[in-house]
Amino acid sequence: MDSLYKIGELSKETGATIDTIRFYQDKGLLTPEKRSSSGYRYYNSSAPHILNFIQSAKDLGFTLIEIKELLEIQISKKGKCSLALGKIKEKEANIDKKILELKKIKKALARVSEKCESTSGESQCHFLELLTGESNG
């Protein structure tokens, strides 16, 4: 039988805090193998791998909902690449969209920055007025 980890041992093994482990459990990403009569959670030997999977997927920008779907592919669908590929392509498209949005924001800020740099440092900032909804003229 696999060795079981108490939540504190799992925390030490992986570096994830106990609160994080409980949070992932509440979100359905990690399930204890069993609970003792006194309420202690015991996790099986795959738990550290699952926590590493979650952290790696988070580092790649996947949401917890997406991570749950990826875990389902990994566990119940035998890790079929064709299923994971759809999720990966979807994430790539979302990132491309965010990059375009960020480039638009950067361009707008550069225009504002140029305007601020070309005016007297002591004049009133029209950008700040715009953000607050005020206009003085």
Side-chain angles (χ1 to χ4, degrees):
M1 179 171 165
D2 289 339
S3 62
L4 297 177
Y5 294 90
K6 284 184 180 178
I7 196 167
E9 295 168 335
L10 184 58
S11 173
K12 286 179 187 171
E13 173 83 16
T14 63
T17 67
I18 290 173
D19 288 339
T20 298
I21 294 169
R22 286 186 180 136
F23 177 76
Y24 291 153
Q25 181 182 326
D26 291 343
K27 296 294 180 186
L29 299 171
L30 184 67
T31 306
E33 180 78 15
K34 67 179 186 174
R35 280 188 183 243
S36 69
S37 59
S38 56
Y40 287 108
R41 297 171 171 110
Y42 288 94
Y43 299 87
N44 65 26
S45 61
S46 67
H49 302 291
I50 292 171
L51 285 170
N52 288 334
F53 182 96
I54 293 168
Q55 188 56 54
S56 295
K58 280 180 61 182
D59 290 346
L60 291 172
F62 287 95
T63 66
L64 293 182
I65 292 169
E66 293 166 333
I67 292 169
K68 187 173 184 179
E69 293 169 351
L70 290 169
L71 279 169
E72 288 171 6
I73 292 169
Q74 177 68 18
I75 295 166
S76 65
K77 307 273 195 289
K78 310 278 190 268
K80 291 194 177 174
C81 198
S82 61
L83 298 173
L85 181 61
K87 300 292 179 190
I88 293 166
K89 290 293 186 183
E90 190 176 310
K91 181 53 72 179
E92 284 179 316
N94 288 339
I95 289 170
D96 287 340
K97 183 179 176 185
K98 285 180 184 179
I99 289 170
L100 288 174
E101 291 169 359
L102 288 171
K103 284 181 177 181
K104 287 179 186 176
I105 292 169
K106 184 177 179 183
K107 190 173 182 180
L109 289 172
R111 284 193 306 266
V112 171
S113 177
E114 284 178 22
K115 187 167 186 156
C116 286
E117 288 171 350
S118 68
T119 62
S120 164
E122 298 303 315
S123 65
Q124 196 156 16
C125 182
H126 298 293
F127 176 68
L128 296 177
E129 290 175 356
L130 176 69
L131 291 178
T132 60
E134 297 176 13
S135 67
N136 293 332

